[in-house]
Amino acid sequence: MRPSPEYIEHKFNAFNLLIFNGKLPLPPIKMSRARTFMGRLEYKREKTFLGKYRYSDFVIRISTFYDLPEEEIEDTLIHEMIHYHICFHQMQDTSAHGKLFRRMMNDINNSFGRHITISHKRSEQEMNQDTRTRSHFICIVWLNSGKVGIVIPTKTRIFNMWKIIPQFREVIRYKWVHSSDAFFNRFPRAMTPKFYIVEECLLEEHLKDAVELENTGHIIRPKK
Ligand SMILES: [Zn+2]
């Protein structure tokens, strides 16, 4: 399912009573189409003169990008509610998912039979749901480890990466291509050359319609 804001509000109220003793006021619930997170607590953070943090202006944001089982959406919401509980009560945790967070998460999982985790890793199935047509300028690199990697720079970094990638010692060979294959949607747009290792046969399969590129110094165009 893809949740509506009303659904999330309804669930928030239910979990607030069940798990958090009804102590959490309903924050604004906002939906997003983000692929990079399932849920997120947003807030303002200020340092007090005692060096502690003061949290305010909370918003819970839930992504509707992935079609997920209801239980996973509930776990995502409860995960954000744990963050909200900690910040709303101005408790100081050791890190973003520190000791406090983990203790509460484990207690809730045990008491309520939930499966909340620290990070929601997207499954292969979820990533394959991302079928939008996007334009990808991809640099394929053959590394001295025998592996093949790719990097997809942000638009503004293409020329820069074109220049610096050949200077990497571990790069034996490289090639720039353009592709609209949705497989590449899962890779974040890079500001720096960080190579994602990809199975060569999987890559080949998704590069069937790719066009090799050349760089004239001021334009990037299909290689002649
Ligand atoms: Zn979290």
Side-chain angles (χ1 to χ4, degrees):
M1 68 180 285
R2 286 190 168 84
S4 66
E6 295 73 29
Y7 170 88
I8 296 293
E9 280 184 23
H10 167 76
K11 286 288 175 185
F12 180 98
N13 290 329
F15 291 136
N16 187 25
L17 285 175
L18 182 70
I19 301 174
F20 299 92
N21 301 321
K23 294 259 169 69
L24 296 174
L26 179 69
I29 304 284
K30 296 204 173 141
M31 311 312 275
S32 135
R33 291 284 296 162
R35 291 173 304 136
T36 48
F37 66 87
M38 308 296 312
R40 190 159 79 187
L41 176 72
E42 296 168 355
Y43 49 77
K44 212 167 92 193
R45 190 175 82 162
E46 289 158 308
K47 213 164 192 167
T48 67
F49 60 91
L50 291 174
K52 290 188 171 182
Y53 287 113
R54 213 190 137 71
Y55 302 94
S56 60
D57 300 6
F58 303 101
V59 171
I60 287 181
R61 201 176 289 278
I62 300 286
S63 173
T64 56
F65 190 83
Y66 299 102
D67 189 0
L68 296 175
E70 179 164 28
E71 207 197 324
E72 223 170 306
I73 296 169
E74 291 176 344
D75 284 346
T76 300
L77 175 62
I78 300 169
H79 176 122
E80 299 318 319
M81 289 177 76
I82 299 173
H83 283 305
Y84 182 41
H85 170 89
I86 291 171
C87 294
F88 180 77
H89 295 295
Q90 310 297 338
M91 299 157 94
Q92 313 279 314
D93 205 349
T94 50
S95 66
H97 300 109
K99 280 188 190 148
L100 257 175
F101 185 97
R102 283 160 201 260
R103 196 168 61 220
M104 282 192 74
M105 181 182 83
N106 293 334
D107 285 350
I108 292 167
N109 282 341
N110 290 334
S111 309
F112 299 97
R114 310 288 335 176
H115 302 93
I116 306 158
T117 54
I118 293 291
S119 72
H120 179 97
K121 285 254 187 302
R122 282 181 298 150
S123 66
E124 191 63 22
Q125 188 204 346
E126 285 162 21
M127 291 196 286
N128 289 339
Q129 286 178 10
D130 185 355
T131 55
R132 292 167 307 152
T133 302
R134 294 168 72 193
S135 188
H136 305 285
F137 291 86
I138 307 163
C139 185
I140 308 161
V141 292
W142 284 264
L143 303 168
N144 56 13
S145 61
K147 294 188 168 151
V148 179
I150 64 166
V151 59
I152 308 180
T154 60
K155 283 258 157 61
T156 57
R157 304 294 288 179
I158 293 176
F159 282 100
N160 176 266
M161 281 206 210
W162 204 298
K163 208 159 57 191
I164 61 178
I165 284 174
Q167 296 166 11
F168 279 75
R169 257 191 306 154
E170 65 265 40
V171 174
I172 298 172
R173 191 156 69 86
Y174 66 95
K175 186 161 116 179
W176 283 87
V177 298
H178 178 270
S179 165
S180 306
D181 193 297
F183 170 75
F184 298 105
N185 292 358
R186 70 195 59 193
F187 299 97
R189 302 297 125 176
M191 294 295 287
T192 55
K194 180 179 187 294
F195 305 126
Y196 289 88
I197 303 301
V198 186
E199 290 268 358
E200 208 168 353
C201 55
L202 187 66
L203 190 60
E204 244 165 55
E205 190 188 313
H206 291 288
L207 287 174
K208 272 193 221 128
D209 302 317
V211 177
E212 191 169 354
L213 299 171
E214 66 178 4
N215 180 356
T216 67
H218 44 264
I219 58 161
I220 285 163
R221 63 183 184 198
K223 197 167 182 173
K224 286 184 181 154

